Amino acid sequence: DAKTTQPPSMDCAEGRAANLPCNHSTISGNEYVYWYRQIHSQGPQYIIHGLKNNETNEMASLIITEDRKSSTLILPHATLRDTAVYYCIVKGWNTNAGKSTFGDGTTLTVKP
Amino acid sequence: NAGVTQTPKFRVLKTGQSMTLLCAQDMNHEYMYWYRQDPGMGLRLIHYSVGEGTTAKGEVPDGYNVSRLKKQNFLLGLESAAPSQTSVYFCASTDGDRGTYEQYFGPGTRLTVT
């Protein structure tokens, strides 16, 4: 699985969009980009994943660059409850028994 | 639909004691995982299972054993607890049939070994 790089921390004003970047320059053609978040001491929560097209669900949008070497998770209207550690993970389709490596992630702080 | 549940939520053990952590999922997922998370750090995979009756080692398996006798349950055992095993333990599951692996996590078990 390809390695990812994320900034250690970011701030965002409440009500504004939060844009969290992730670099994955060694991503392979069959590898997906996954995003999770961990609020305080709770279990991580799956947010979204994508291969090459942009994806949107009720929680967030995922924008993947055309060369697939980086992506951005967008929380369109951040609230205080979105304060959490956000993890970007790259994983191949149907490989490695689904095991995922969670790095240090980005700590997003949403401020009033 | 409870998702992934973990029992107990908190536990304090003395060095050398044993215990079993229970993970249960009601989503009919094939794959299940046990992670540990030490303060200020990311998750590390202990053991995992790709189906009933099968288990495999993860990144940090030493000092732990697991069993998957039923598809919905995944047990993590500590035979002789050590202070280094003080951590938060998370269980997760995923449906591997579609080839993509979004994992669903339980709320965690906070274990302190004195």
Coordinates of all heavy atoms in Angstrom, one line a residue, chain B residues 22-101:
Chain B
L22 N -14.1 -8.9 24.1 CA -15.0 -9.5 23.1 C -15.4 -8.4 22.1 O -15.8 -7.2 22.5 CB -16.3 -10.0 23.8 CG -17.5 -10.4 22.9 CD1 -17.1 -11.5 21.9 CD2 -18.7 -10.7 23.7
C23 N -15.4 -8.7 20.8 CA -15.9 -7.9 19.8 C -17.0 -8.6 19.1 O -16.9 -9.8 18.7 CB -14.8 -7.5 18.8 SG -15.3 -6.6 17.4
A24 N -18.1 -7.9 18.8 CA -19.3 -8.5 18.1 C -19.8 -7.5 17.1 O -19.8 -6.3 17.3 CB -20.4 -8.8 19.1
Q25 N -20.1 -8.1 15.9 CA -20.7 -7.3 14.8 C -21.9 -7.9 14.2 O -22.0 -9.2 14.1 CB -19.6 -7.0 13.7 CG -18.9 -8.2 13.2 CD -19.5 -8.8 11.9 OE1 -20.5 -8.2 11.4 NE2 -19.0 -9.9 11.5
D26 N -22.9 -7.1 13.9 CA -24.1 -7.7 13.4 C -24.4 -7.3 11.9 O -25.5 -7.2 11.4 CB -25.3 -7.2 14.2 CG -25.5 -5.7 14.3 OD1 -24.7 -5.0 13.6 OD2 -26.4 -5.2 15.0
M27 N -23.3 -7.1 11.2 CA -23.4 -6.7 9.8 C -23.0 -7.8 8.8 O -22.9 -7.6 7.6 CB -22.4 -5.4 9.5 CG -22.9 -4.2 10.4 SD -21.7 -2.9 10.3 CE -20.4 -3.4 11.4
N28 N -22.8 -9.0 9.4 CA -22.4 -10.1 8.6 C -21.1 -10.0 7.8 O -20.9 -10.5 6.7 CB -23.6 -10.5 7.6 CG -23.5 -12.0 7.1 OD1 -23.1 -12.9 7.9 ND2 -23.8 -12.2 5.9
H29 N -20.2 -9.2 8.4 CA -18.9 -8.9 7.8 C -18.0 -10.2 7.9 O -18.0 -10.8 8.9 CB -18.2 -7.7 8.4 CG -18.8 -6.4 8.0 ND1 -18.5 -5.2 8.6 CD2 -19.7 -6.1 7.0 CE1 -19.2 -4.3 8.0 NE2 -19.9 -4.8 7.0
E30 N -17.2 -10.4 6.8 CA -16.3 -11.5 6.8 C -15.0 -11.2 7.6 O -14.5 -12.0 8.3 CB -15.9 -11.8 5.4 CG -17.0 -12.5 4.6 CD -17.2 -13.9 5.1 OE1 -16.3 -14.6 5.7 OE2 -18.4 -14.4 4.9
Y31 N -14.5 -9.9 7.5 CA -13.2 -9.6 8.0 C -13.4 -8.8 9.3 O -14.2 -7.9 9.4 CB -12.4 -8.7 7.0 CG -12.0 -9.4 5.7 CD1 -12.5 -10.6 5.3 CD2 -11.2 -8.7 4.9 CE1 -12.1 -11.2 4.1 CE2 -10.8 -9.3 3.7 CZ -11.3 -10.5 3.3 OH -10.9 -11.0 2.1
M32 N -12.5 -9.2 10.3 CA -12.5 -8.5 11.6 C -11.1 -8.3 12.0 O -10.2 -9.0 11.6 CB -13.3 -9.3 12.6 CG -14.8 -9.4 12.3 SD -15.7 -10.2 13.6 CE -15.8 -8.9 14.8
Y33 N -10.9 -7.2 12.8 CA -9.5 -6.7 13.1 C -9.5 -6.3 14.6 O -10.5 -5.7 15.1 CB -9.1 -5.5 12.3 CG -9.4 -5.7 10.8 CD1 -10.6 -5.4 10.2 CD2 -8.3 -6.1 9.9 CE1 -10.8 -5.6 8.9 CE2 -8.6 -6.3 8.6 CZ -9.8 -6.0 8.1 OH -10.0 -6.2 6.7
W34 N -8.3 -6.4 15.2 CA -8.0 -5.9 16.5 C -6.9 -4.9 16.4 O -5.8 -5.3 15.9 CB -7.7 -6.9 17.5 CG -8.9 -7.5 18.2 CD1 -9.4 -8.8 18.0 CD2 -9.7 -6.9 19.2 NE1 -10.5 -9.0 18.8 CE2 -10.7 -7.8 19.5 CE3 -9.8 -5.6 19.8 CZ2 -11.7 -7.6 20.5 CZ3 -10.7 -5.4 20.7 CH2 -11.7 -6.3 21.1
Y35 N -7.1 -3.6 16.8 CA -6.0 -2.6 16.8 C -5.8 -2.2 18.3 O -6.7 -2.3 19.1 CB -6.4 -1.4 16.1 CG -6.6 -1.5 14.6 CD1 -7.8 -1.9 14.0 CD2 -5.6 -1.2 13.7 CE1 -8.0 -2.1 12.7 CE2 -5.7 -1.3 12.3 CZ -7.0 -1.7 11.8 OH -7.1 -1.9 10.5
R36 N -4.6 -1.6 18.5 CA -4.3 -0.9 19.8 C -3.9 0.5 19.4 O -3.3 0.7 18.4 CB -3.3 -1.6 20.7 CG -1.9 -1.8 20.1 CD -1.0 -2.4 21.1 NE -0.6 -1.5 22.1 CZ 0.2 -1.8 23.2 NH1 0.6 -3.0 23.3 NH2 0.5 -0.9 24.1
Q37 N -4.2 1.4 20.3 CA -3.8 2.8 20.2 C -3.3 3.3 21.5 O -4.0 3.4 22.5 CB -5.0 3.7 19.7 CG -4.6 5.1 19.4 CD -5.8 5.9 18.8 OE1 -6.9 5.7 19.2 NE2 -5.4 6.8 17.9
D38 N -2.0 3.6 21.5 CA -1.4 4.2 22.6 C -1.5 5.7 22.6 O -1.8 6.3 21.5 CB 0.1 3.8 22.6 CG 0.3 2.3 22.7 OD1 -0.6 1.6 23.3 OD2 1.3 1.8 22.2
P39 N -1.4 6.4 23.7 CA -1.7 7.8 23.8 C -0.9 8.6 22.8 O 0.3 8.5 22.6 CB -1.3 8.2 25.2 CG -1.5 6.9 26.0 CD -1.1 5.8 25.1
G40 N -1.6 9.5 22.0 CA -1.0 10.4 21.0 C -0.5 9.7 19.8 O 0.2 10.3 19.0
M41 N -0.8 8.4 19.6 CA -0.3 7.7 18.5 C -1.4 7.1 17.6 O -2.6 7.1 18.0 CB 0.6 6.5 18.9 CG 1.8 7.0 19.8 SD 2.8 5.6 20.3 CE 3.5 5.1 18.7
G42 N -1.0 6.6 16.4 CA -2.0 6.0 15.5 C -2.3 4.6 15.9 O -1.8 4.1 16.9
L43 N -3.2 4.0 15.1 CA -3.6 2.6 15.4 C -2.6 1.6 14.9 O -2.1 1.8 13.8 CB -5.0 2.3 14.8 CG -6.2 2.9 15.5 CD1 -6.3 4.4 15.2 CD2 -7.4 2.2 15.2
R44 N -2.4 0.5 15.6 CA -1.5 -0.5 15.2 C -2.3 -1.8 15.2 O -3.0 -2.2 16.2 CB -0.3 -0.6 16.1 CG 0.7 0.6 15.9 CD 2.0 0.4 16.7 NE 1.7 0.4 18.2 CZ 2.6 0.1 19.1 NH1 3.8 -0.3 18.7 NH2 2.3 0.2 20.4
L45 N -2.1 -2.6 14.1 CA -2.9 -3.8 14.0 C -2.3 -5.0 14.8 O -1.1 -5.3 14.7 CB -3.0 -4.2 12.5 CG -3.8 -5.5 12.1 CD1 -5.3 -5.2 12.4 CD2 -3.6 -5.8 10.7
I46 N -3.1 -5.6 15.6 CA -2.6 -6.7 16.5 C -2.8 -8.1 15.8 O -1.8 -8.8 15.5 CB -3.3 -6.7 17.8 CG1 -3.3 -5.4 18.5 CG2 -2.8 -7.8 18.7 CD1 -4.1 -5.3 19.8
H47 N -4.0 -8.4 15.5 CA -4.4 -9.6 14.8 C -5.6 -9.3 13.9 O -6.3 -8.3 14.2 CB -4.8 -10.8 15.8 CG -3.7 -11.4 16.5 ND1 -2.9 -12.4 15.9 CD2 -3.2 -11.3 17.7 CE1 -2.0 -12.8 16.8 NE2 -2.1 -12.1 17.9
Y48 N -5.9 -10.2 12.9 CA -7.1 -10.0 12.1 C -7.6 -11.4 11.7 O -6.9 -12.4 11.9 CB -6.8 -9.1 10.9 CG -5.8 -9.7 9.9 CD1 -6.2 -10.3 8.8 CD2 -4.4 -9.6 10.1 CE1 -5.3 -10.8 7.8 CE2 -3.5 -10.1 9.2 CZ -4.0 -10.7 8.1 OH -3.1 -11.2 7.2
S49 N -8.8 -11.4 11.1 CA -9.4 -12.6 10.7 C -10.1 -12.4 9.4 O -10.9 -11.4 9.2 CB -10.4 -13.1 11.7 OG -11.2 -14.1 11.2
V50 N -10.0 -13.3 8.4 CA -10.6 -13.1 7.1 C -11.8 -14.0 7.0 O -12.4 -14.1 5.9 CB -9.7 -13.4 5.9 CG1 -8.5 -12.4 6.0 CG2 -9.1 -14.8 5.9
G51 N -12.2 -14.7 8.1 CA -13.4 -15.5 8.1 C -13.5 -16.4 9.3 O -12.5 -16.5 10.1
E52 N -14.7 -16.9 9.5 CA -14.9 -17.8 10.7 C -13.8 -18.9 10.7 O -13.5 -19.6 9.7 CB -16.3 -18.4 10.6 CG -16.7 -19.3 11.8 CD -18.1 -19.8 11.6 OE1 -19.0 -19.0 11.3 OE2 -18.3 -21.0 11.8
G53 N -13.2 -19.1 11.9 CA -12.2 -20.1 12.1 C -10.8 -19.8 11.6 O -9.9 -20.6 11.7
T54 N -10.6 -18.6 11.1 CA -9.3 -18.2 10.6 C -8.8 -17.0 11.4 O -9.6 -16.1 11.7 CB -9.3 -17.9 9.1 OG1 -10.0 -16.7 8.9 CG2 -9.9 -19.0 8.3
T55 N -7.5 -16.9 11.7 CA -6.9 -15.7 12.2 C -5.5 -15.6 11.7 O -4.9 -16.6 11.2 CB -6.8 -15.8 13.8 OG1 -6.0 -16.9 14.2 CG2 -8.2 -16.0 14.4
A56 N -4.9 -14.4 11.8 CA -3.6 -14.1 11.3 C -3.0 -13.0 12.1 O -3.7 -12.2 12.7 CB -3.6 -13.7 9.8
K57 N -1.6 -12.9 12.1 CA -0.9 -11.9 12.9 C -0.9 -10.6 12.2 O -0.7 -10.6 10.9 CB 0.5 -12.4 13.2 CG 0.5 -13.6 14.1 CD 2.0 -14.0 14.4 CE 2.0 -15.2 15.3 NZ 3.4 -15.7 15.6
G58 N -0.9 -9.5 12.9 CA -0.8 -8.2 12.4 C 0.6 -7.7 12.7 O 1.6 -8.4 12.7
E59 N 0.6 -6.4 13.0 CA 1.9 -5.7 13.2 C 2.5 -5.9 14.5 O 3.7 -6.0 14.7 CB 1.6 -4.2 13.0 CG 2.8 -3.3 13.0 CD 2.3 -1.8 12.9 OE1 1.1 -1.6 12.7 OE2 3.1 -0.9 13.0
V60 N 1.7 -6.0 15.6 CA 2.2 -6.2 16.9 C 1.4 -7.3 17.7 O 0.7 -7.1 18.6 CB 2.0 -4.8 17.7 CG1 3.0 -3.8 17.2 CG2 0.6 -4.3 17.6
P61 N 1.7 -8.6 17.3 CA 0.9 -9.7 17.8 C 1.4 -10.2 19.2 O 0.6 -10.9 19.8 CB 1.0 -10.7 16.7 CG 2.4 -10.5 16.2 CD 2.6 -9.0 16.2
D62 N 2.6 -9.9 19.5 CA 3.2 -10.6 20.7 C 2.4 -10.3 22.0 O 2.1 -9.1 22.3 CB 4.7 -10.2 20.9 CG 5.5 -10.7 19.7 OD1 5.0 -11.7 19.0 OD2 6.6 -10.2 19.5
G63 N 2.1 -11.3 22.8 CA 1.4 -11.1 24.0 C -0.1 -11.2 23.9 O -0.8 -11.1 24.9
Y64 N -0.6 -11.5 22.7 CA -2.0 -11.5 22.5 C -2.3 -12.8 21.7 O -1.6 -13.3 20.9 CB -2.5 -10.4 21.6 CG -2.2 -9.0 22.1 CD1 -1.0 -8.3 21.7 CD2 -3.0 -8.4 23.1 CE1 -0.7 -7.1 22.2 CE2 -2.7 -7.1 23.6 CZ -1.5 -6.5 23.1 OH -1.2 -5.2 23.6
N65 N -3.6 -13.3 22.0 CA -4.1 -14.4 21.1 C -5.5 -14.1 20.8 O -6.2 -13.2 21.4 CB -4.0 -15.8 21.9 CG -4.8 -15.7 23.2 OD1 -6.0 -15.8 23.2 ND2 -4.0 -15.7 24.3
V66 N -6.0 -14.7 19.7 CA -7.3 -14.4 19.2 C -8.0 -15.6 18.8 O -7.4 -16.7 18.5 CB -7.3 -13.4 18.0 CG1 -6.9 -12.0 18.4 CG2 -6.3 -13.9 16.9
S67 N -9.4 -15.5 18.7 CA -10.2 -16.6 18.2 C -11.4 -16.1 17.5 O -12.0 -15.1 17.9 CB -10.6 -17.6 19.3 OG -11.4 -17.0 20.2
R68 N -11.8 -16.8 16.4 CA -13.0 -16.4 15.7 C -13.8 -17.7 15.4 O -13.9 -18.2 14.4 CB -12.5 -15.8 14.3 CG -13.7 -15.3 13.5 CD -13.9 -13.9 13.5 NE -15.0 -13.4 12.7 CZ -14.9 -13.0 11.5 NH1 -13.7 -13.0 10.9 NH2 -15.9 -12.6 10.8
L69 N -14.5 -18.1 16.5 CA -15.3 -19.4 16.4 C -16.6 -19.1 15.8 O -17.2 -20.0 15.1 CB -15.5 -19.9 17.9 CG -14.2 -20.3 18.6 CD1 -14.5 -20.8 20.0 CD2 -13.4 -21.3 17.8
K70 N -17.1 -17.9 15.9 CA -18.4 -17.5 15.2 C -18.1 -16.3 14.3 O -17.3 -15.5 14.7 CB -19.5 -17.2 16.2 CG -19.9 -18.4 17.0 CD -21.1 -17.9 17.9 CE -21.6 -19.1 18.8 NZ -22.7 -18.7 19.7
K71 N -18.8 -16.2 13.2 CA -18.5 -15.2 12.2 C -18.7 -13.8 12.9 O -18.0 -12.9 12.6 CB -19.5 -15.3 11.1 CG -19.2 -14.3 9.9 CD -20.2 -14.6 8.8 CE -19.9 -13.7 7.6 NZ -20.8 -14.0 6.5
Q72 N -19.7 -13.7 13.8 CA -20.0 -12.4 14.3 C -19.1 -11.9 15.5 O -19.2 -10.8 15.9 CB -21.5 -12.3 14.7 CG -21.8 -13.3 15.9 CD -22.3 -14.6 15.4 OE1 -21.9 -15.1 14.3 NE2 -23.3 -15.2 16.1
N73 N -18.3 -12.9 16.0 CA -17.5 -12.5 17.2 C -16.0 -12.7 16.9 O -15.6 -13.7 16.3 CB -17.9 -13.5 18.4 CG -19.3 -13.2 18.8 OD1 -19.9 -12.2 18.6 ND2 -19.9 -14.3 19.5
F74 N -15.2 -11.8 17.5 CA -13.8 -11.9 17.4 C -13.2 -11.6 18.8 O -13.4 -10.5 19.3 CB -13.3 -10.9 16.4 CG -11.8 -11.1 16.0 CD1 -11.2 -12.4 16.0 CD2 -11.1 -10.0 15.5 CE1 -9.9 -12.5 15.5 CE2 -9.8 -10.2 15.0 CZ -9.2 -11.5 15.0
L75 N -12.5 -12.6 19.4 CA -12.1 -12.4 20.8 C -10.6 -12.1 20.8 O -9.8 -12.8 20.1 CB -12.3 -13.7 21.6 CG -13.8 -13.9 22.2 CD1 -14.8 -14.0 21.1 CD2 -13.8 -15.1 23.1
L76 N -10.2 -11.2 21.7 CA -8.8 -10.9 21.9 C -8.4 -11.3 23.4 O -9.0 -10.8 24.3 CB -8.5 -9.4 21.7 CG -7.1 -9.0 21.9 CD1 -6.1 -9.5 20.8 CD2 -7.0 -7.4 22.0
G77 N -7.4 -12.1 23.5 CA -7.0 -12.6 24.8 C -5.6 -12.1 25.2 O -4.7 -12.0 24.4
L78 N -5.5 -11.7 26.5 CA -4.2 -11.4 27.1 C -3.9 -12.5 28.1 O -4.7 -12.6 29.1 CB -4.2 -10.0 27.7 CG -4.2 -8.8 26.8 CD1 -5.5 -8.6 26.2 CD2 -3.7 -7.6 27.7
E79 N -3.0 -13.3 27.9 CA -2.7 -14.5 28.9 C -2.0 -14.0 30.2 O -2.3 -14.5 31.2 CB -1.9 -15.5 28.2 CG -2.7 -16.3 27.1 CD -1.9 -17.4 26.5 OE1 -0.7 -17.5 26.8 OE2 -2.5 -18.3 25.8
S80 N -1.1 -13.1 30.0 CA -0.3 -12.6 31.2 C -0.1 -11.1 31.0 O 0.9 -10.7 30.3 CB 1.0 -13.4 31.4 OG 1.7 -12.9 32.5
A81 N -1.0 -10.3 31.5 CA -0.9 -8.8 31.1 C 0.4 -8.2 31.7 O 0.9 -8.5 32.7 CB -2.1 -8.1 31.7
A82 N 0.9 -7.2 30.9 CA 2.0 -6.4 31.2 C 1.7 -5.0 31.1 O 0.8 -4.6 30.4 CB 3.2 -6.8 30.3
P83 N 2.4 -4.1 31.9 CA 2.1 -2.7 31.8 C 2.2 -2.1 30.4 O 1.5 -1.1 30.1 CB 3.2 -2.1 32.8 CG 3.4 -3.2 33.8 CD 3.3 -4.4 33.0
S84 N 3.1 -2.7 29.6 CA 3.2 -2.2 28.2 C 1.9 -2.5 27.4 O 1.8 -1.9 26.3 CB 4.4 -2.9 27.5 OG 4.2 -4.3 27.5
Q85 N 1.0 -3.2 27.9 CA -0.2 -3.5 27.2 C -1.3 -2.5 27.6 O -2.5 -2.6 27.1 CB -0.7 -4.9 27.4 CG 0.3 -5.9 26.7 CD -0.1 -7.4 27.0 OE1 -0.3 -7.8 28.1 NE2 -0.3 -8.1 25.9
T86 N -1.0 -1.6 28.4 CA -1.9 -0.5 28.7 C -2.2 0.3 27.5 O -1.2 0.8 26.8 CB -1.3 0.4 29.8 OG1 -1.3 -0.3 31.0 CG2 -2.2 1.7 30.0
S87 N -3.4 0.4 27.0 CA -3.7 1.0 25.8 C -5.3 1.0 25.6 O -6.0 0.6 26.4 CB -3.1 0.1 24.6 OG -3.2 0.8 23.4
V88 N -5.7 1.6 24.5 CA -7.1 1.5 24.1 C -7.1 0.5 22.9 O -6.4 0.6 21.9 CB -7.6 2.9 23.6 CG1 -9.1 2.7 23.2 CG2 -7.5 3.9 24.7
Y89 N -8.0 -0.4 23.0 CA -8.2 -1.5 22.0 C -9.4 -1.3 21.2 O -10.5 -1.1 21.7 CB -8.2 -2.8 22.7 CG -6.9 -3.2 23.3 CD1 -6.5 -2.7 24.6 CD2 -5.9 -3.9 22.6 CE1 -5.3 -3.0 25.2 CE2 -4.7 -4.2 23.2 CZ -4.4 -3.7 24.5 OH -3.2 -4.0 25.0
F90 N -9.2 -1.2 19.9 CA -10.4 -1.1 19.0 C -10.5 -2.3 18.1 O -9.6 -2.8 17.6 CB -10.2 0.1 18.1 CG -10.2 1.5 18.8 CD1 -9.1 2.2 19.1 CD2 -11.5 2.0 19.2 CE1 -9.1 3.4 19.7 CE2 -11.5 3.2 19.8 CZ -10.4 3.9 20.1
C91 N -11.8 -2.7 18.0 CA -12.1 -3.7 17.0 C -12.8 -3.1 15.8 O -13.4 -2.1 15.9 CB -13.1 -4.7 17.7 SG -13.7 -6.0 16.7
A92 N -12.6 -3.7 14.6 CA -13.2 -3.2 13.4 C -13.6 -4.4 12.6 O -13.1 -5.5 12.7 CB -12.2 -2.4 12.6
S93 N -14.6 -4.1 11.7 CA -15.0 -5.2 10.7 C -15.2 -4.6 9.4 O -15.4 -3.4 9.2 CB -16.2 -5.9 11.2 OG -17.4 -5.0 11.1
T94 N -15.1 -5.4 8.3 CA -15.4 -4.9 7.0 C -15.9 -6.1 6.1 O -15.6 -7.2 6.4 CB -14.1 -4.4 6.3 OG1 -14.4 -3.8 5.1 CG2 -13.1 -5.4 6.1
D95 N -16.7 -5.7 5.1 CA -17.2 -6.7 4.2 C -16.2 -6.8 3.0 O -16.2 -5.9 2.2 CB -18.6 -6.2 3.7 CG -19.2 -7.1 2.6 OD1 -18.6 -8.2 2.3 OD2 -20.2 -6.8 2.1
G96 N -15.5 -7.8 3.0 CA -14.4 -7.9 1.9 C -14.9 -8.4 0.6 O -14.2 -8.4 -0.4
D97 N -16.2 -8.7 0.5 CA -16.7 -9.3 -0.7 C -16.6 -8.3 -1.9 O -16.5 -8.8 -3.1 CB -18.1 -9.7 -0.6 CG -18.2 -11.0 0.3 OD1 -17.2 -11.6 0.5 OD2 -19.3 -11.4 0.7
R98 N -16.7 -7.0 -1.7 CA -16.8 -6.1 -2.8 C -15.4 -5.6 -3.2 O -15.2 -4.9 -4.1 CB -17.6 -4.9 -2.4 CG -19.1 -5.2 -2.3 CD -19.8 -4.0 -1.8 NE -19.4 -3.6 -0.4 CZ -19.7 -2.5 0.1 NH1 -20.3 -1.5 -0.5 NH2 -19.4 -2.2 1.4
G99 N -14.3 -6.1 -2.5 CA -13.0 -5.8 -2.9 C -12.5 -4.5 -2.3 O -11.3 -4.2 -2.3
T100 N -13.4 -3.6 -1.8 CA -12.9 -2.4 -1.1 C -13.2 -2.6 0.4 O -14.1 -3.4 0.8 CB -13.7 -1.2 -1.6 OG1 -15.1 -1.4 -1.5 CG2 -13.3 -1.0 -3.1
Y101 N -12.5 -1.9 1.2 CA -12.4 -2.2 2.6 C -12.7 -1.1 3.5 O -11.9 -0.8 4.4 CB -11.0 -2.8 2.9 CG -10.7 -4.1 2.2 CD1 -9.9 -4.1 1.1 CD2 -11.3 -5.3 2.6 CE1 -9.6 -5.3 0.4 CE2 -11.0 -6.4 1.9 CZ -10.2 -6.4 0.8 OH -9.9 -7.6 0.2

